[in-house]
Amino acid sequence: MFQCLRASTLAKPNLKPFRAPLTTTAMVRSDPYRPAARVAGQKQDVWTIINEAATNSPIQPIINMGQGFFGYNPPKFVTDAAKEALNRVDCNQYSPTKGRPRLKKAIANAYSPFMGRQVNPDTEVTITTGANEGMLSAFMAFIEEGDEVILFEPFFDQYISNIRMAGGSIRYVPLSPPKNGSTKKTSSADWTLDTKALENAINDKTRMVVLNTPHNPIGKIFSPPELETICDLCVQNKIILLSDEVYDRLPYVPFTRPATLSPEIADLTLTVGSAGKNFYCTGWRVGWLLGPEHLIKHVSAAHTRICFSSVSPLQEAAAVGFERADELGFWEQSKQEMKAKMARFCTIFDDLGLPYSEPEGGYFVLANFSKVALPGDYSWPEQVRDRPRDFKLAWFLIMELGVAAIPSTEFYAPQNQYLAEDWLRFAVCKEDDVLEGAKERLRGLRRYMKA
């Protein structure tokens, strides 16, 4: 039997005061707070600059036409599904790492008619925490130190940090802006691909090409001949194509998906989608990638290690969204409403005589402000003083007119920023009264127009 001993009968250990070990020169760390190179040395990003300016503007409230979040709620049949899912036990627990079966099946069924074949929900679809995390997972799955990724400029700025996080380096291929873009209204189709520049960017280190169609920020939908050029080069050189198609439900002209062009390019293509863009819920962070099993399984493995699984009730709601969207006519209604918002907002540029690039898809429009004369004696803050002209234009609009837009040079490598220094990006996914308010304020530009 165990015996109970009085505390006084227990031997007391010979305790000595704690002393930190002596350090050697080799052990001394000069800066214990030094960040890893992958996150260090980055300039203040455009979102921080614009948000700080908006907060400090004397004109309040700011009308935010810059960032691409929606100014209205998702459709009721989707939000109702989210509320219902929150009352289910299984929807409040971990989902399978590759995604909830109902959502994968709904996505496979939605994409199969576009792909011309039945997409396998179990092996060809993986659900991610937003499209951005999905693309990070793709880069982590296939990009290593020494690998190169080709980006078309302008690009979605998150591509850069994601690629570098994976250890890759970037080759830039700029789309050529319309030659008359500073004098007249043009089309996003007029931003052209330089085939020779693309060919020259490819070498034995090229692992992936990233394509965004419909494009942010241009609104360009790449034409079948352009896609064939890109895809043929990928097939010839055995390069993975990451096709970012998050605005795929908002095409205003015929839209071709790269993966449908041939079986050979389908074997090399990862297609990216987003419930946030499809159903007006960018805060839900539900995205997905589709592709052949030999690619998707590695993306799924990377996703598992990045965040394990994605939010369960909102996956379920997105599944309901896909299941009911066609019967309710939602896709066509969404497209027509956004097209009407674009037309409504762009009348201000017509009124002011400011050229703009009419988008073929999505909800962004680029306007050219070369006709706007910024005051020569204006006091620019440090954040934009040494930045290209479009940053000053964006700051000026916020401070003097109370309208936020995004400078387009943020979507270019430094050596090519001169191509976009007069262009600002506006997002029209706002309520109509917000669009009208922005138009009214922008009329204040008349006093700054060049003669």
Side-chain angles (χ1 to χ4, degrees):
M1 294 179 62
F2 292 105
Q3 293 181 333
C4 294
L5 302 177
R6 290 186 302 172
S8 60
T9 67
L10 295 175
K12 295 181 180 180
N14 185 20
L15 298 175
K16 296 180 179 180
F18 172 79
R19 291 188 178 90
L22 296 176
T23 59
T24 65
T25 303
M27 293 175 63
V28 174
R29 185 179 298 277
S30 60
D31 181 5
Y33 311 111
R34 177 176 58 85
R38 69 179 66 91
V39 297
Q42 297 181 7
K43 291 194 302 183
Q44 190 177 35
D45 65 86
V46 67
W47 316 108
T48 302
I49 292 173
I50 295 301
N51 287 336
E52 285 182 359
T55 300
N56 295 317
S57 173
I59 304 174
Q60 296 293 338
I62 291 293
I63 299 179
N64 191 342
M65 298 292 294
Q67 291 177 273
F69 59 81
F70 292 86
Y72 39 88
N73 275 332
K76 188 175 184 299
F77 70 94
V78 174
T79 55
D80 284 349
K83 294 172 186 176
E84 181 181 342
L86 285 169
N87 291 321
R88 290 170 45 189
V89 173
D90 66 305
C91 287
N92 285 289
Q93 309 307 320
Y94 296 123
S95 285
T97 185
K98 294 181 181 179
R100 296 185 70 79
R102 184 178 184 180
L103 178 55
K104 292 197 298 177
K105 181 180 178 181
I107 289 171
N109 289 340
Y111 276 81
S112 291
F114 300 129
M115 298 300 184
R117 64 178 183 83
Q118 184 59 48
V119 175
N120 187 322
D122 298 320
T123 61
E124 296 183 304
V125 180
T126 195
I127 307 303
T128 59
T129 309
N132 189 35
E133 188 268 322
M135 288 185 279
L136 174 61
S137 296
F139 295 133
M140 288 294 190
F142 294 104
I143 303 302
E144 298 180 302
E145 292 286 343
D147 289 337
E148 293 185 358
V149 179
I150 292 176
L151 295 183
F152 298 105
E153 295 178 295
F155 46 73
F156 175 50
D157 60 326
Q158 289 294 309
Y159 296 154
I160 304 298
S161 56
N162 287 353
I163 292 167
R164 289 176 177 163
M165 193 79 72
S169 57
I170 302 164
R171 296 257 179 174
Y172 301 97
V173 176
L175 299 173
S176 302
K179 293 181 179 179
N180 53 359
S182 64
T183 58
K184 60 182 291 188
K185 182 174 80 171
T186 56
S187 166
S188 58
D190 297 327
W191 295 70
T192 55
L193 172 67
D194 185 337
T195 302
K196 184 57 67 176
L198 176 58
E199 292 174 350
N200 291 339
I202 295 174
N203 58 58
D204 57 3
K205 297 180 181 180
T206 308
R207 189 80 168 96
M208 189 179 289
V209 171
V210 179
L211 177 68
N212 183 201
T213 181
H215 188 278
N216 170 18
I218 296 173
K220 176 183 176 68
I221 289 181
F222 282 75
S223 68
E226 289 173 322
L227 293 177
E228 288 169 5
T229 295
I230 297 167
C231 293
D232 286 350
L233 287 170
C234 287
V235 171
Q236 292 167 19
N237 294 279
K238 297 182 172 62
I239 298 169
I240 294 170
L241 178 65
L242 184 65
S243 186
D244 179 357
E245 301 175 17
V246 297
Y247 303 100
D248 64 339
R249 294 291 182 168
L250 295 172
Y252 312 132
V253 300
F255 169 50
T256 301
R257 298 174 188 269
T260 65
L261 291 180
S262 72
E264 291 78 15
I265 191 59
D267 275 348
L268 289 165
T269 300
L270 289 165
T271 298
V272 183
S274 166
K277 304 301 192 295
N278 287 169
F279 298 115
Y280 321 152
C281 51
T282 58
W284 285 19
R285 313 312 296 146
V286 176
W288 53 85
L289 270 73
L290 287 81
E293 181 180 6
H294 56 262
L295 296 181
I296 284 293
K297 65 181 180 181
H298 300 301
V299 176
S300 298
H303 164 72
T304 301
R305 287 153 180 82
I306 292 170
C307 59
F308 183 70
S309 66
S310 301
V311 61
S312 297
L314 301 183
Q315 286 191 57
E316 200 73 3
V320 173
F322 273 107
E323 291 166 358
R324 300 197 59 197
D326 283 319
E327 67 176 89
L328 296 174
F330 172 72
W331 301 125
E332 185 62 25
Q333 176 188 345
S334 174
K335 180 172 66 175
Q336 293 305 323
E337 286 179 355
M338 195 66 74
K339 191 174 181 180
K341 289 179 182 294
M342 186 69 69
R344 173 190 288 269
F345 180 66
C346 287
T347 58
I348 185 59
F349 301 131
D350 294 325
D351 293 347
L352 293 171
L354 289 178
Y356 60 97
S357 182
E358 188 172 21
E360 298 173 298
Y363 50 68
F364 296 113
V365 58
L366 290 179
N368 189 289
F369 278 66
S370 59
K371 294 182 179 180
V372 174
L374 294 171
D377 58 351
Y378 200 83
S379 179
W380 302 109
E382 182 181 356
Q383 298 98 308
V384 301
R385 190 176 302 136
D386 297 323
R387 298 269 190 153
R389 172 178 149 87
D390 59 336
F391 271 81
K392 297 179 178 65
L393 284 164
W395 186 275
F396 188 79
L397 257 62
I398 292 172
M399 291 298 176
E400 305 302 324
L401 302 179
V403 177
I406 298 298
S408 293
T409 58
E410 182 73 3
F411 309 128
Y412 283 82
Q415 64 269 25
N416 292 322
Q417 288 180 341
Y418 71 94
L419 294 169
E421 62 182 3
D422 287 317
W423 296 89
L424 293 180
R425 189 193 79 171
F426 295 83
V428 304
C429 49
K430 316 295 178 183
E431 292 279 18
D432 287 350
D433 62 333
V434 174
L435 300 179
E436 290 300 324
K439 288 163 59 177
E440 184 59 35
R441 291 187 181 185
L442 288 171
R443 289 189 176 93
L445 283 174
R446 292 189 189 280
R447 71 177 78 97
Y448 302 105
M449 302 295 288
K450 296 178 182 177

